Amino acid sequence: MADGKHNSALGAAYAAKRPEEVAAIYDSWAGTYDADMSAAGYRHPTICLALLARHLPRGAEPLLDAGAGTGLIGEWLAITGYPQVEALDISQGMLDKAGAKGVYTALHRLAMGDTLPFADGAYAGIISAGVFTSGHVGVEGLDELIRICRSGGVIVLTVKNTLWYAGFAERIAALEARGTLVRVEETSPYASMPGETDTVPSRGLVLRVS
């Protein structure tokens, strides 16, 4: 998924009110998504990959790419030493593109924010780039990621400032105070698409589950 205002498809996704609307928009966008994001200078996948590599040992498995889209991160994870990665996305069209890249061990068409059909502690690490953003997934999607990440594992995600200042920051602080997780790294705010104008900044987070 993406985080910016690159074209009418993304603008429509931000404005969507129901998950099925978001899925339909991404289904129709899947064919040009990679090229569109490249043209916009899309940064989230690269930043998330760097954060994951800094805090999760090579070969840790399995991982979940939550909001995988067309599999931009999955390709790089395989190259950099994380060969066991599953993909989750709301859009079947996006998952079809991701599956064609041959880098995921499983594909899951699911909506984040709902209960996920995975066991507690199922994953050594979770990466979620450009998902916690306007019209996509809010803070309600965080608890399930924590549940399915094993103790000592890491969750790498990006959060748009709109969400960060609307309850996400407070939720992270509360989970830290409770001892549920540790915030091991937080980037400074950055533009996810420097090729676009009027982009609200986001930040990258690394959370280690206790």
Side-chain angles (χ1 to χ4, degrees):
M1 290 188 180
D3 182 11
K5 294 184 179 178
H6 182 69
N7 59 20
S8 59
L10 191 53
Y14 280 167
K17 302 301 183 184
R18 300 189 305 275
E20 56 267 29
E21 293 179 57
V22 176
I25 290 162
Y26 278 101
D27 283 347
S28 64
W29 190 10
T32 63
Y33 181 88
D34 285 4
D36 290 345
M37 291 297 98
S38 178
Y42 187 41
R43 290 174 166 177
H44 281 335
T46 307
I47 289 169
C48 284
L49 180 67
L51 293 172
L52 184 79
R54 186 145 62 211
H55 296 285
L56 191 68
R58 293 178 74 247
E61 61 179 61
L63 306 187
L64 179 67
D65 186 356
T70 59
L72 291 174
I73 294 178
E75 291 184 279
W76 301 339
L77 288 170
I79 293 168
T80 53
Y82 304 95
Q84 299 295 319
V85 186
E86 300 178 18
L88 178 157
D89 203 88
I90 195 172
S91 163
Q92 187 61 52
M94 290 290 205
L95 283 175
D96 289 344
K97 292 290 185 181
K101 293 176 178 176
V103 294
Y104 291 106
T105 57
L107 304 172
H108 307 281
R109 184 178 180 273
L110 298 166
M112 290 173 61
D114 297 333
T115 301
L116 298 173
F118 306 125
D120 295 354
Y123 296 100
I126 299 171
I127 194 162
S128 190
V131 176
F132 290 94
T133 186
S134 304
H136 290 60
V137 180
V139 70
E140 72 279 356
L142 183 60
D143 285 354
E144 274 295 276
L145 296 188
I146 294 169
R147 180 186 68 79
I148 64 175
C149 187
R150 69 186 54 157
S151 178
V154 299
I155 302 171
V156 177
L157 66 157
T158 63
V159 184
K160 193 172 184 178
N161 274 359
T162 308
L163 272 67
W164 184 252
Y165 293 117
F168 214 103
E170 289 81 0
R171 180 62 176 156
I172 294 293
L175 290 166
E176 286 187 289
R178 191 183 303 167
T180 302
L181 55 79
V182 176
R183 178 173 13 188
V184 294
E185 187 165 355
E186 178 181 335
T187 73
S188 57
Y190 62 89
S192 62
M193 295 184 190
E196 295 295 300
T197 59
D198 194 28
T199 300
V200 175
S202 302
R203 70 195 63 215
L205 291 171
V206 181
L207 309 174
R208 190 174 300 280
V209 176
S210 301

